Amino acid sequence: MVLKLIIPLFLVITFLSCEQKKDEQNMNENKDNFKYQTEQFADLGILRYKVPGFNELSLKEKKLVYYLYKAALSGRDIFYDQNYKHNLEIRRTLETIVNSFKGDRNTDDFKNFMIYTKRVWFSNGIHHHYSNQKFKPGFTKEYFIELIKNSDKQNLPLTNGESVDEFLERITPIIFDPGIAPVKVNLTPDQDLVKTSAVNFYEGVNEKEVENFYNKEKIKNDSTPVWYGLNSKLVKNNGKIEEKKWMLGRMYSSAIEKIIFWLEKAVTVAENDHQKATLNKLIDYYKTGDLKTWDEYNIMWTQDTSSSSDIVNGFIEVYNDPLGIKGSYESIVSIKDKEATKRIAAIAGQAQWFEDNSTIDKKFKKKNVVGISAKVITVVVECGDASPSTPIGINLPNSTWIRKEYGSKSVNLGNIVHSYNEAASGDGSLEEFAYSQEEVELGKKYGTLTDDLHTDMHEVIGHASGQILPGVGTPKETLKNYASTIEEARADLVSLYYLPDQKLIDIGIMPNKEAFKAEYNKYIRNGLLQQLRRIIPGDNIEESHMRNRLLVSKWAYEKGEKDNVIERKIKDGKTYFIINDYKKLRELFGQLLKEIQRITSEGDFNAAKKLIETYGVKVDSDLVKEVRERYAKLNISAYKGFINPILKPVYKNGEISDIIIEYPDDFTNEMLYYAKNYSFLPNNN
Ligand SMILES: [Zn+2]
């Protein structure tokens, strides 16, 4: 599983390791003069990220990362083709225009053409990466013809000696006719999902035929099944259904050849024997297409926890297939974030202390608690399904039996999250929803730091804390549909309770006694106000993470009302919530934690239901309207994607003597650079 930022309209950051979603990331001014957001168009914002630690790598480590980076980008075309079989020729047509159009580039038409082109790059195809709908160009067919006629014809993706006019006749309906391939992934029940989805995983077959084909392949009572059909396109030729495998010598071979070439280079500079063997296994898989080999690779990859560099590379996530069979190409190359890993170790090292000193009842405390060791990685490059729109957490492999027998790797993409935070710090939401200048300044000063700490505490201590009484089932069994809201609330509350604690200062992760207030302010502001922007006025809250935040904030607000712990204020017709008494608020969090742990430990369904239905579901629709209006004025783009850094080798006497990392700031240039250097597939595959 990969955690994409699922943000209809706003920024939600989700860590798969616990499915905690964070949002309204703060709020820290850019202290380093790095431009985190470069541009905004349509519903998209383009961000950049830095790779701290890269320059400190040894030459050998840099080479390894560089080869993995090359391997990652070599598969870029595959994902375009998987998304829709005409994507590569459309992309190349658009790129030809961008590179060579001789007419006026300052007209509205040309600007609209560029917006369309950038959306195609962002989505790796002509369908929206999130909504799956085909893009409607903001310019006419006639203008498109004019563009083509005034561009370099040699670089157009003409097939079999076709003339430009014939080419235009073929390609314009694909772009302009809303009836052709309207949806990338269709999930509407009662329709043939295979026939009605534009993805290029099937041809000439219907849903039933696909199901039958793979049901026949499956071995009965196999306790270690491969992921049938993961790495192939299923086609019907002359009435015969067969797989076109994505492997060396078959479909996508010319890109896979390059991937293998760079992986083989990486093997020569691998950090250790295990990593070497793992990379060799991946090469073997690309050469044979054998899914058993893929499983073996995944087991080895899961077991490699000591290497500092890592790569995710393959046909991995199946969300783009309406039937959840076929894997989309993606790659993520990373190095370990040593600082964050240290911080997490510091917290995990005190897990027993946190357990012993918590407000929960003694009989629910663990005698030997072990902190969950969440890992943080620093991304160097992403490609395919992971780029430009990126996950912020990864939990792999996907195979159920491997996860059960060998576990999985769950990582947070630290520098990506950091970049989101930094970009959001300038988006005006803090200024809009914080009541006072003092609150704004506190948020800017400590917001990012305390928010990271809150996440770490939530993950490492929160989820690890507490025990269920003997004989009581798991929360999923006892608390049913309320289980995940209760679990997330429990983890949040452990964190919130400890953030003001002297202990955090003593172990060196919290700077002083003031900083935690930034997170308290943010939590309340978000729970009672900011998160409401995701609700349609009149609706209740359904999503469990949102329910958790509302529950915690509203409960604390109501229980503290007589002491004015949290105060609702109106200024210039706008609603604010301010914290008057941080100490009392901490006590309230402790009280709620105690009760929520009891509910979990005893499996008290009725209490969970009552608590959540009373505090975590209903919202005032006028307030929802107000929040949405205030957000609309801020003009924050709904989806974000990233420009990757570029790695460049430096040669001395024919040998690589260093690898330089550069941070381009122009999305269009990077897309053209990729097209020029990593375009290995033919137009039609
Ligand atoms: Zn969680």
Side-chain angles (χ1 to χ4, degrees), residues 360-570:
I360 65 177
D361 198 294
K362 217 174 155 206
K363 62 177 180 282
F364 305 140
K365 285 182 180 174
K366 277 186 184 152
K367 303 254 163 348
N368 290 300
V369 67
V370 180
I372 295 167
S373 64
K375 282 183 196 65
V376 182
I377 57 169
T378 301
V379 170
V380 180
V381 75
E382 298 176 299
C383 192
D385 201 11
S387 179
S389 170
T390 167
I392 48 109
I394 320 168
N395 192 318
L396 290 172
N398 284 332
S399 161
T400 319
W401 73 265
I402 297 179
R403 294 170 73 86
K404 208 170 140 210
E405 282 183 33
Y406 298 91
S408 62
K409 266 201 249 185
S410 181
V411 292
N412 298 333
L413 281 51
N415 56 336
I416 296 286
V417 172
H418 178 77
S419 187
Y420 274 119
N421 288 345
E422 293 291 347
S425 75
D427 72 9
S429 58
L430 173 62
E431 287 80 358
E432 177 61 41
F433 291 94
Y435 181 73
S436 64
Q437 192 50 34
E438 193 193 342
E439 191 180 330
V440 171
E441 273 157 25
L442 203 64
K444 286 191 168 172
K445 201 164 175 189
Y446 298 118
T448 301
L449 170 80
T450 53
D451 204 55
D452 281 350
L453 272 180
H454 173 58
T455 305
D456 292 345
M457 293 289 293
H458 171 114
E459 302 262 6
V460 181
I461 303 297
H463 284 302
S465 162
Q467 64 182 359
I468 291 164
L469 288 185
V472 175
T474 65
K476 257 207 166 70
E477 290 159 357
T478 58
L479 306 178
K480 301 186 175 81
N481 53 320
Y482 298 108
S484 61
T485 299
I486 290 290
E487 176 59 17
E488 293 309 317
R490 203 175 68 87
D492 264 359
L493 286 161
V494 171
S495 169
L496 290 168
Y497 180 72
Y498 278 117
L499 281 177
D501 205 288
Q502 179 64 32
K503 186 78 179 173
L504 300 196
I505 300 173
D506 293 345
I507 61 173
I509 56 172
M510 185 67 97
N512 55 47
K513 281 187 136 1
E514 289 296 297
F516 81 93
K517 292 179 181 171
E519 182 62 22
Y520 269 37
N521 292 340
K522 198 204 97 168
Y523 198 91
I524 295 302
R525 219 165 47 224
N526 181 33
L528 294 175
L529 282 177
Q530 286 175 260
Q531 69 163 343
L532 303 184
R533 67 196 167 161
R534 265 178 265 141
I535 303 294
I536 292 164
D539 282 4
N540 286 328
I541 294 187
E542 302 288 342
E543 203 280 324
S544 55
H545 302 85
M546 292 180 68
R547 285 184 164 190
N548 142 45
R549 290 186 220 115
L550 181 65
L551 158 70
V552 170
S553 314
K554 201 167 165 187
W555 188 92
Y557 172 69
E558 286 193 13
K559 296 291 165 185
E561 214 167 356
K562 64 176 191 319
D563 297 324
N564 207 19
V565 176
I566 300 168
E567 188 178 353
R568 181 180 181 140
K569 290 206 175 213
I570 309 285

Side-chain angles (χ1 to χ4, degrees), residues 243-372:
E243 282 189 318
K244 277 171 84 178
K245 283 235 178 189
W246 305 325
M247 58 179 277
L248 191 66
R250 300 285 309 274
M251 196 167 171
Y252 301 144
S253 185
S254 46
I256 289 171
E257 215 173 280
K258 300 280 180 190
I259 296 172
I260 292 173
F261 174 85
W262 291 109
L263 289 176
E264 281 173 343
K265 288 252 186 205
V267 169
T268 65
V269 285
E271 289 174 43
N272 51 59
D273 288 343
H274 183 87
Q275 192 183 43
K276 194 176 279 184
T278 307
L279 289 170
N280 272 322
K281 193 58 97 175
L282 181 58
I283 293 166
D284 201 18
Y285 161 67
Y286 273 125
K287 285 182 174 169
T288 62
D290 183 355
L291 287 169
K292 275 242 176 282
T293 309
W294 173 243
D295 280 352
E296 286 160 19
Y297 161 72
N298 274 304
I299 291 165
M300 293 167 82
W301 178 82
T302 304
Q303 288 169 334
D304 182 3
T305 50
S306 64
S307 300
S308 142
S309 332
D310 204 358
I311 186 171
V312 169
N313 187 304
F315 308 109
I316 296 175
E317 302 299 339
V318 295
Y319 304 115
N320 278 318
D321 178 353
L323 304 185
I325 297 171
K326 310 290 176 190
S328 295
Y329 174 79
E330 77 169 7
S331 188
I332 299 171
V333 178
S334 65
I335 52 179
K336 223 178 234 170
D337 181 339
K338 296 201 175 96
E339 277 310 304
T341 306
K342 252 188 250 165
R343 191 178 66 216
I344 281 166
I347 296 169
Q350 299 294 328
Q352 195 63 51
W353 187 92
F354 287 118
E355 187 75 352
D356 294 345
N357 289 278
S358 148
T359 58
I360 65 177
D361 198 294
K362 217 174 155 206
K363 62 177 180 282
F364 305 140
K365 285 182 180 174
K366 277 186 184 152
K367 303 254 163 348
N368 290 300
V369 67
V370 180
I372 295 167

Side-chain angles (χ1 to χ4, degrees), residues 202-263:
Y202 307 99
E203 198 153 322
V205 286
N206 61 35
E207 192 176 332
K208 197 87 217 122
E209 288 171 317
V210 176
E211 274 165 12
N212 289 343
F213 184 89
Y214 287 113
N215 281 339
K216 256 185 251 161
E217 294 251 302
K218 282 174 194 161
I219 300 163
K220 274 214 181 92
N221 303 322
D222 185 356
S223 59
T224 60
V226 298
W227 196 292
Y228 291 97
L230 180 72
N231 61 340
S232 64
K233 178 175 175 178
L234 196 66
V235 294
K236 196 196 261 180
N237 277 331
N238 303 322
K240 192 169 168 259
I241 299 174
E242 57 185 6
E243 282 189 318
K244 277 171 84 178
K245 283 235 178 189
W246 305 325
M247 58 179 277
L248 191 66
R250 300 285 309 274
M251 196 167 171
Y252 301 144
S253 185
S254 46
I256 289 171
E257 215 173 280
K258 300 280 180 190
I259 296 172
I260 292 173
F261 174 85
W262 291 109
L263 289 176

